[in-house]
Amino acid sequence: MQGEILARVFLNPDRSFTVSDLARATHAPYASVHREVRRLLQMGIVRGEKRGQALEISARVDSAVFAPLSELLRISYGPAAVLPAMLAGIEGITDAYIYGSWAARRLGEPGGSPGDVDLLVIGNPARSEIYEAAQRAGSVLAREVNVRVISADAWTSSDDDPFLQTIRERPLVQLNLQEISE
């Protein structure tokens, strides 16, 4: 629960969350989440603001621990950790990549926090299963997951598809699907 709360807050530094939001997202009792939020406030790594009866918290991006903690949480709870688990068991996937702004930030390109996650699935899986997995992942990540499915032949061909040319030229983060299936 602690990790999930930290991930929700630190991987979405542009947003604030109420204790109720965090309890729903982590499927944890309100009282337990409230205790964790109090600890985070006492440590000074989040800031809290009362809005009516609700306490909204957000990451303190000016904190000395923000960058290293965010990186650790990104590795443990970010798209590259969540998506393989969501795709596990779906037949017909040859490979999968994160592309777009998430991949660019992960590989060191400067820029703002991505608004969504772009997922490229290669193979011939059941699209309904892929879209359902993307919806579940989006709920966990608190970000929309946009999926593009292409065949293995299309991915390896050298045709003039402008979309695929752009994807190949930009940062890609390959998802480790073997670890999950073993």
Side-chain angles (χ1 to χ4, degrees):
M1 176 186 66
Q2 232 174 20
E4 290 175 2
I5 291 169
L6 286 168
R8 183 66 50 135
V9 173
F10 276 75
L11 297 181
N12 298 286
D14 53 332
R15 295 179 50 195
S16 61
F17 299 91
T18 66
V19 175
S20 294
D21 293 336
L22 295 171
R24 273 190 302 278
T26 60
H27 306 288
Y30 180 91
S32 299
V33 173
H34 191 265
R35 266 192 311 278
E36 290 302 320
V37 166
R38 270 200 336 259
R39 288 182 190 135
L40 296 174
L41 286 164
Q42 288 170 349
M43 290 187 296
I45 62 174
V46 299
R47 70 185 59 193
E49 189 174 328
K50 280 290 251 183
R51 298 231 193 253
Q53 296 287 39
L55 172 64
E56 290 188 356
I57 66 161
S58 58
R60 283 204 42 222
V61 296
D62 60 339
S63 166
V65 302
F66 176 78
L69 184 55
S70 294
E71 182 60 21
L72 178 62
L73 291 165
R74 192 172 350 280
I75 291 166
S76 304
Y77 293 93
V82 169
L83 287 167
M86 296 297 172
L87 297 173
I90 299 176
E91 296 292 323
I93 299 175
T94 305
D95 224 337
Y97 297 89
I98 297 171
Y99 67 96
S101 55
W102 263 104
R105 297 307 164 273
R106 181 72 189 110
L107 297 176
E109 282 189 17
S113 180
D116 60 5
V117 178
D118 298 310
L119 173 64
L120 178 67
V121 175
I122 300 169
N124 191 25
R127 292 188 188 244
S128 61
E129 290 182 56
I130 293 295
Y131 296 132
E132 187 179 301
Q135 190 173 33
R136 285 192 322 269
S139 177
V140 170
L141 296 167
R143 300 255 188 247
E144 184 177 353
V145 176
N146 300 308
V147 182
R148 180 82 181 245
V149 180
I150 63 166
S151 70
D153 289 340
W155 181 242
T156 58
S157 76
S158 59
D159 66 3
D160 294 328
D161 182 328
F163 171 76
L164 292 180
Q165 285 178 345
T166 301
I167 294 299
R168 288 183 190 114
E169 293 169 1
R170 300 285 302 136
L172 286 171
V173 174
Q174 186 171 17
L175 298 178
N176 187 349
L177 301 176
Q178 279 70 32
E179 237 177 57
I180 299 300
S181 64
E182 293 174 353

